[in-house]
Amino acid sequence: MGTDQLETFVREIFVAAGTPPGPAADVAEHLVSANLVGHDSHGVNRAPGYIRLVETGHIVPDAPIEVYDETDTTAVVDANWGLGFSATNHATDLATAKAHAHGTGAVTIRRQSHMGRLGWYSARAAERGVISFVVADSGRAPKVVAPLGGRARRLGTNPLSFGVPSELDGPLVLDMATSAVAQGKTRIAKARGELLPYPCIVAADGSLTRDPHALGEDDGGALLPFGGDQVHKGYGLSFMVEVFAGLLTGIGFSHDPGGFSNDGAFVAAFAVDRFRPLEEFTRDVRAFVDYLKDTPLADGHDEILYPGEVEARTAARRRDQGIDIDDPTWQRLVDVARRYAVEVPAAFDGH
């Protein structure tokens, strides 16, 4: 399916469900962009779940975004249980503006719903000439990751992302979960009947497995932090993400079974031109990437990539060829659309 067609379809579903046009456009643009760059786990497959949260009142689609305790370089954004995409766009732009005005900007976000793929926001800031740092946690929403040495869920997947201005063909973005694999990727593996790349789930009995079904919807297993036999590194980063996105925001860290779906976030931006001319910096970034790509290759490798290059290539290919949506995801979208009397576009090439 073409990206414009898919984005329009998703936007119309959210508008029909009571979302104002602006936030609906934010959701659709973000979700389709995730599919476009190859992160289907954070793409339109999430839309039906968000609609359910709107229907149950866990997302307030027309909630105002408010800013508190603002200084020249810091602010607190309260999304009032609104859509995380709009709130984090706002916070990213606010941090970026503060960085341009004062060199640095840092913003916390509280009481927002799921904010999606962090790399979107890092790239958004980098396009405006700042280096960005974004972290997020799941507040008091259900957890899915076990701490080092444990087998019960105590942490979120606690992602982090950096964005860097550059002259490269695609955004220079590091976007990663501190869990061994993003939870959304386990859902994709289940839908496709696939195993995970390596044993990254600790099952309820304490054994390690590649089977995504061992990660039950409630307490049937937990993801491990990333790192393999160096799992303490992933656990340490996850811990620190919780400090920035859970403790500093004040949204909490334990699981409240009756609580709202909630992402806490911390966004920081640093204006490159306060340290050196932006043009010199971006030129050096390209030279650094060229230097790395010129490294003699190890066995089994064809090339060296910069962070974000795979996504940039995937986006170019999918813009040309369209986005392929798996049958279960497409059917869920169609079901929601029909419930709200939204016209379903003609599908082609397997959607």
Side-chain angles (χ1 to χ4, degrees):
M1 174 174 287
T3 56
D4 291 345
Q5 185 181 28
L6 183 57
E7 193 172 315
T8 297
F9 182 42
V10 173
R11 182 177 67 249
E12 289 177 349
I13 290 173
F14 275 88
V15 169
T19 306
D26 290 338
V27 177
E29 183 181 24
H30 188 111
L31 296 185
V32 173
S33 76
N35 287 110
L36 189 66
V37 300
H39 291 289
D40 298 324
S41 59
H42 285 63
V44 298
N45 68 311
R46 299 261 184 165
Y50 296 145
I51 294 295
R52 285 195 299 273
L53 291 173
V54 169
E55 292 168 343
T56 59
H58 278 234
I59 293 178
V60 182
D62 58 352
I65 298 171
E66 298 178 306
V67 178
Y68 295 101
D69 300 327
E70 187 171 10
T71 72
D72 287 346
T73 58
T74 62
V76 174
V77 169
D78 190 334
N80 290 298
W81 303 117
L83 288 156
F85 309 100
S86 298
T88 313
N89 279 348
H90 184 86
T92 300
D93 294 347
L94 182 58
T96 299
K98 290 180 180 296
H100 282 307
H102 303 287
T104 63
V107 178
T108 60
I109 314 169
R110 64 192 185 197
R111 298 204 303 169
Q112 67 170 349
S113 64
H114 188 244
M115 58 192 279
R117 188 175 67 92
L118 268 61
W120 167 267
Y121 308 105
S122 296
R124 184 184 183 95
E127 289 171 356
R128 293 162 169 81
V130 303
I131 295 173
S132 58
F133 171 59
V134 184
V135 295
D137 87 329
S138 54
R140 295 186 183 275
K143 305 300 181 180
V144 72
V145 178
L148 175 63
R151 60 176 179 174
R153 303 176 179 198
R154 292 293 185 272
L155 297 163
T157 56
N158 290 7
L160 58 86
S161 181
F162 291 89
V164 179
S166 76
E167 298 177 356
L168 299 168
D169 294 335
L172 177 50
V173 170
L174 172 66
D175 181 3
M176 54 176 278
T178 55
S179 56
V181 65
Q183 185 179 11
K185 295 190 185 299
T186 69
R187 297 190 183 105
I188 295 294
K190 285 181 185 180
R192 295 176 177 174
E194 299 172 350
L195 293 176
L196 297 169
Y198 64 97
C200 54
I201 293 175
V202 54
D205 63 3
S207 63
L208 302 184
T209 179
R210 297 174 59 197
D211 183 359
H213 293 89
L215 189 68
E217 292 301 319
D218 296 313
D219 293 322
L223 288 172
L224 293 171
F226 85 86
D229 62 357
Q230 300 290 305
V231 70
H232 61 282
K233 297 179 180 179
Y235 168 61
L237 283 174
S238 180
F239 187 103
M240 292 304 171
V241 168
E242 201 79 33
V243 170
F244 278 95
L247 305 185
L248 191 61
T249 60
I251 68 170
F253 55 86
S254 61
H255 176 205
D256 176 6
F260 278 24
S261 174
N262 186 14
D263 273 358
F266 175 84
V267 181
F270 310 92
V272 171
D273 61 10
R274 293 302 183 100
F275 301 91
R276 61 181 303 202
L278 179 61
E279 296 79 7
E280 292 181 5
F281 175 79
T282 57
R283 187 166 60 245
D284 277 357
V285 170
R286 175 176 283 279
F288 177 51
V289 169
D290 290 342
Y291 166 74
L292 294 178
K293 285 180 173 289
D294 194 42
T295 306
L297 296 173
D299 290 346
H301 294 269
D302 297 324
E303 62 178 324
I304 292 168
L305 304 171
Y306 62 81
E309 189 168 5
V310 170
E311 287 84 353
R313 292 182 180 181
T314 301
R317 185 176 68 253
R318 290 188 173 186
R319 283 191 189 96
D320 180 56
Q321 301 176 0
I323 296 172
D324 188 24
I325 306 298
D326 62 80
D327 289 339
T329 294
W330 181 250
Q331 189 57 55
R332 288 194 298 272
L333 285 171
V334 169
D335 291 344
V336 174
R338 288 174 176 164
R339 195 162 76 244
Y340 285 97
V342 173
E343 183 178 355
V344 178
F348 56 92
D349 289 340
H351 318 315

